[in-house]
């Protein structure tokens, strides 16, 4: 899709508002530094694009960053590729190195939201050390809480736009056109691991990993009832993150 085609569905008012938003982003003084915590299907993927827009931050999801680093051939990406080709797990040092590479990008000038990281106390300590070296620290940890049984229903109907990370649900948050992304019109994907058996295994691992992280950042943790309507969930997320730009 050409640049011109991408803009065909935007009105002049839309583009003017986007220009104003970008000016506000450039004028933003304080960086937003937050972690999103939540099991698969908890709504992080739905909230993340709006957070990016409202807070002028980059969205750093571990899996996406690893794939992009490998594709781009960065120093850490080459190291990660070598490890993955051997069939080994990517070390904390490589994952944290890729995080650090991304934090220095212009898109993260206004701050960042981390998604899927840190997963261990060691990773949390390494992240804290990086930020401490910049005279900064994590300001908010938003915990998307959803009972496991609710998650099972959510996952079965989930559809994703791979390029942007926008998330939909065939029942709860359907796209305007079935099977198509609202913004680009590109096809949506139903992930192969979005089955009940796979989900329950992931939830067991998630709960074991998450409690120590939430305890580590306890003073700045805000737990959101993610079973509410999307707007109410986002209102609570915004309250936890602070004023928008």
């Amino acid at each position: 899709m050409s640049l011109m085609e991408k803009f065909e569905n935007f009105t002049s008012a839309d583009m003017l508002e986007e220009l104003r938003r970008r000016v506000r982003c450039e004028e933003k003084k304080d960086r937003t530094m937050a972690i999103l915590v939540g099991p698969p299907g908890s709504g992080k993927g739905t909230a993340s694009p709006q957070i990016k827009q409202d807070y002028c931050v980059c969205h750093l999801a571990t899996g996406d960053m690893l794939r992009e680093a490998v594709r781009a051939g960065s120093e850490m990406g080459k190291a990660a590729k070598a490890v993955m080709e051997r069939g080994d797990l990517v070390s904390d040092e490589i994952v944290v190195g890729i995080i650090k590479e991304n934090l220095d990008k212009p898109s993260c000038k206004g701050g960042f939201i981390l998604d899927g990281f840190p997963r261990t106390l060691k990773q949390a300590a390494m992240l804290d050390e990086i930020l401490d070296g910049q005279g900064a620290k994590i300001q908010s940890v938003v915990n998307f809480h959803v009972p496991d049984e609710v998650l099972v229903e959510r996952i079965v109907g989930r559809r994703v736009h791979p390029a942007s990370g926008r998330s939909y649900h065939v029942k709860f948050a359907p796209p305007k056109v079935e099977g198509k992304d609202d913004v680009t019109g590109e096809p949506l994907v139903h992930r192969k691991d979005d089955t009940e058996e796979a989900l329950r295994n992931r939830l067991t691992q998630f709960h074991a990993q998450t409690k120590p992280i939430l305890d580590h950042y306890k003073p700045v943790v805000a737990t959101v009832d993610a079973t509410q309507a999307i707007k109410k969930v986002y209102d609570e997320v915004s309250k936890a993150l602070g004023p928008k730009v």
Side-chain angles (χ1 to χ4, degrees):
M1 181 181 290
S2 69
L3 183 61
M4 184 64 70
E5 289 173 326
K6 289 182 179 180
F7 281 111
E8 283 181 350
N9 294 324
F10 290 89
T11 66
S12 297
D14 290 335
M15 289 189 282
L16 183 58
E17 179 53 37
E18 174 61 15
L19 179 59
R20 292 189 182 118
R21 187 191 71 83
R22 294 195 178 204
V23 170
R24 293 196 298 271
C25 288
E26 286 298 317
E27 294 175 344
K28 182 180 179 182
K29 295 179 179 179
D30 298 324
R31 297 180 77 198
T32 301
M33 289 169 281
I35 298 171
L36 304 185
V37 176
S42 62
K44 291 184 292 140
T46 300
S48 294
Q50 192 66 43
I51 295 173
K52 284 177 61 178
Q53 179 168 319
D54 289 346
Y55 292 87
C56 303
V57 296
C58 59
H59 174 218
L60 303 180
T62 309
D64 294 341
M65 283 187 294
L66 278 169
R67 287 186 288 272
E68 174 58 25
V70 170
R71 187 197 66 77
S74 69
E75 180 180 350
M76 286 296 163
K78 291 177 181 177
K81 183 179 180 180
V83 171
M84 290 187 289
E85 286 180 344
R86 293 198 303 268
D88 296 331
L89 292 175
V90 179
S91 69
D92 287 341
E93 287 72 20
I94 291 177
V95 174
V96 173
I98 290 175
I99 294 280
K100 192 172 187 302
E101 283 182 346
N102 279 269
L103 291 180
D104 294 333
K105 290 183 177 180
S107 60
C108 296
K109 177 184 175 183
F112 58 84
I113 49 172
L114 287 167
D115 183 352
F117 181 91
R119 292 182 182 273
T120 66
L121 285 177
K122 179 181 178 182
Q123 290 180 351
M126 294 171 77
L127 172 63
D128 292 345
E129 184 177 354
I130 290 173
L131 296 179
D132 186 59
Q134 300 175 356
K137 62 181 180 180
I138 293 296
Q139 302 160 339
S140 305
V141 175
V142 183
N143 178 29
F144 289 71
H145 175 70
V146 182
D148 289 359
E149 294 307 316
V150 175
L151 290 171
V152 171
E153 182 181 16
R154 285 188 175 185
I155 287 295
V156 173
R158 185 168 66 176
R159 302 293 184 271
V160 177
H161 179 239
S164 68
R166 281 184 289 274
S167 182
Y168 302 85
H169 192 282
V170 294
K171 178 180 178 181
F172 303 120
K176 295 176 182 176
V177 177
E178 184 178 353
K180 303 290 184 180
D181 176 54
D182 286 352
V183 177
T184 65
E186 295 171 346
L188 301 177
V189 173
H190 186 205
R191 293 170 177 163
K192 294 180 179 179
D193 60 348
D194 283 350
T195 65
E196 181 172 350
E197 181 180 2
L199 173 62
R200 292 195 183 279
N201 288 334
R202 289 155 67 192
L203 287 174
T204 298
Q205 295 176 359
F206 170 79
H207 293 312
Q209 291 175 338
T210 302
K211 188 178 185 305
I213 301 300
L214 294 177
D215 289 343
H216 177 74
Y217 290 111
K218 188 173 182 178
V220 295
V221 171
T223 297
V224 171
D225 177 2
T227 63
Q228 303 175 96
I230 292 174
K231 184 181 183 305
K232 289 186 177 180
V233 171
Y234 191 71
D235 286 345
E236 289 193 21
V237 171
S238 298
K239 184 178 179 180
L241 295 177
K244 305 173 186 177
V245 296

